[in-house]
Amino acid sequence: MSFVPPVGSYAVIFCSHRTEVDGGYGATAAHMVELASQQPGFLGVRSSRDAALGITVSYWESLEAIAAWRKNLEHREARNQGRAQWYRQYELQVVRVERAYAWQSMDGAADPAP
Amino acid sequence: MSFVPPVGSYAVIFCSHRTEVDGGYGATAAHMVELASQQPGFLGVRSSRDAALGITVSYWESLEAIAAWRKNLEHREARNQGRAQWYRQYELQVVRVERAYAWQSMDGAADPAP
């Protein structure tokens, strides 16, 4: 933790509802994180999934870096599989970081917001 | 689902690691979602928490709407309690929506990205 993306960098917010189908989902998801992290311009990723919803936020230096990752063939095939069997629905936003900060308990209880 | 925030709207991405302390966390979190959804300029919220990480993304019409919600007294008190007992660490970003779309399985398996 304590990752603070630079102002002017970008993120992809991906919210998904899964189907009941497993079929290699976990292994593919882990492989995609590994592949993404080797891409030029990759800054970081955060992911959480509970029974209702999964949210993954990946952070990138530029829109060009996001576009290049979208073109990756393995990533494209994984997205196709996602729509064919793993996801019931999803929402995706590309966003620009306007402000960012992090807080840890050792920082004390004061509000860290600038 | 199938929420698509307008281009030019804003979101707050909040990633948090919890402590072991419960102390009313769930009730307060639910109350904050209820309060936020009554705020002017609130567009929607998505939330997921697993054992490692919680991610909440709230969507807003404008930076002014986010600033007004930050000033809400109950919200301020909840943030103070969060730092005092519920959170070990967190990361927060304010972001601008540049592109957004949603997909549902009934749309078929083709790539929905523009």
Side-chain angles (χ1 to χ4, degrees):
Chain A
M1 287 282 284
S2 278
F3 164 68
V4 179
V7 170
S9 63
Y10 290 86
V12 179
I13 304 171
F14 181 74
C15 297
S16 63
H17 281 288
R18 291 265 280 110
T19 61
E20 309 296 312
V21 180
D22 188 343
Y25 171 76
T28 301
H31 184 51
M32 286 305 114
V33 168
E34 195 193 323
L35 266 188
S37 68
Q38 296 163 7
Q39 284 279 311
F42 174 86
L43 297 174
V45 63
R46 295 291 181 260
S47 210
S48 178
R49 178 170 294 282
D50 60 29
L53 189 71
I55 302 179
T56 295
V57 186
S58 60
Y59 298 88
W60 301 86
E61 273 176 15
S62 66
L63 292 174
E64 292 69 28
I66 294 171
W69 169 232
R70 269 188 60 77
K71 285 184 193 137
N72 177 287
L73 286 181
E74 281 190 83
H75 183 205
R76 189 174 296 209
E77 175 52 29
R79 296 201 305 276
N80 289 342
Q81 278 201 62
R83 284 187 299 274
Q85 57 171 345
W86 294 319
Y87 296 123
R88 196 181 303 282
Q89 40 189 358
Y90 62 74
E91 300 166 349
L92 187 150
Q93 296 103 35
V94 178
V95 299
R96 181 184 185 274
V97 174
E98 305 290 330
R99 200 156 70 231
Y101 57 89
W103 173 87
Q104 298 187 48
S105 53
M106 67 185 76
D107 297 338
D111 191 336
Chain B
M1 286 282 283
S2 279
F3 164 69
V4 179
V7 170
S9 61
Y10 289 86
V12 179
I13 304 171
F14 181 74
C15 296
S16 64
H17 281 289
R18 292 264 281 110
T19 61
E20 309 295 313
V21 180
D22 188 342
Y25 170 77
T28 300
H31 184 52
M32 287 304 115
V33 168
E34 196 193 322
L35 266 188
S37 68
Q38 295 164 6
Q39 285 278 312
F42 174 85
L43 297 174
V45 63
R46 295 291 181 259
S47 211
S48 177
R49 177 169 296 283
D50 60 30
L53 188 70
I55 302 180
T56 295
V57 186
S58 60
Y59 298 88
W60 302 86
E61 272 177 16
S62 65
L63 292 174
E64 291 69 28
I66 294 171
W69 169 233
R70 269 188 60 77
K71 284 184 193 139
N72 177 286
L73 286 181
E74 282 190 83
H75 183 205
R76 190 174 296 209
E77 174 53 28
R79 295 201 306 274
N80 288 342
Q81 278 201 61
R83 285 187 298 274
Q85 58 172 345
W86 293 321
Y87 296 123
R88 197 181 303 282
Q89 41 189 0
Y90 61 75
E91 301 165 349
L92 187 151
Q93 296 103 36
V94 178
V95 299
R96 180 184 185 276
V97 175
E98 305 289 330
R99 199 157 70 231
Y101 57 90
W103 173 87
Q104 297 188 49
S105 53
M106 65 184 76
D107 297 339
D111 190 335

